[in-house]
Amino acid sequence: MVAVVVDSLEFERRYTSVVIAWMPENRPTDEQIVAVLDEFEKTDVGGLDPNRYAWTAVLHHRRGGVHAYVLAAQCNLQTAGA
């Protein structure tokens, strides 16, 4: 969904990308990762209702570390087509 929204936008800075990374020695649990992503999402969208934004995170394990790649369309879905 994020890619579809981003591709439909006609301005230059259509999305934001962020990487949240943990070192191998951190060994975050699934619950800790979800908690960090939940807090980041709340901060990133500034209290918008989930039906008003397109946001996703992809988890990747690399060399023992964990990376969460976050992509967010830079628009309010209720007003993007207005």
Side-chain angles (χ1 to χ4, degrees):
M1 181 179 118
V2 175
V4 170
V5 172
V6 168
D7 287 345
S8 74
L9 300 174
E10 296 181 2
F11 45 87
E12 186 176 335
R13 296 189 179 154
R14 300 174 295 167
Y15 68 92
T16 298
S17 62
V18 174
V19 177
I20 301 171
W22 291 264
M23 298 293 293
E25 57 269 18
N26 295 139
R27 295 188 180 116
T29 64
D30 290 345
E31 293 81 15
Q32 290 170 323
I33 293 168
V34 168
V36 168
L37 289 173
D38 284 348
E39 285 302 311
F40 182 80
E41 182 177 3
K42 287 179 197 173
T43 301
D44 185 48
V45 300
L48 283 177
D49 182 273
N51 294 323
R52 297 180 72 173
Y53 62 90
W55 191 99
T56 192
V58 177
L59 196 60
H60 179 71
H61 295 270
R62 182 175 179 166
R63 297 184 189 145
V66 178
H67 298 98
Y69 297 89
V70 177
L71 295 170
Q74 290 301 298
C75 68
N76 181 326
L77 295 177
Q78 289 187 348
T79 60

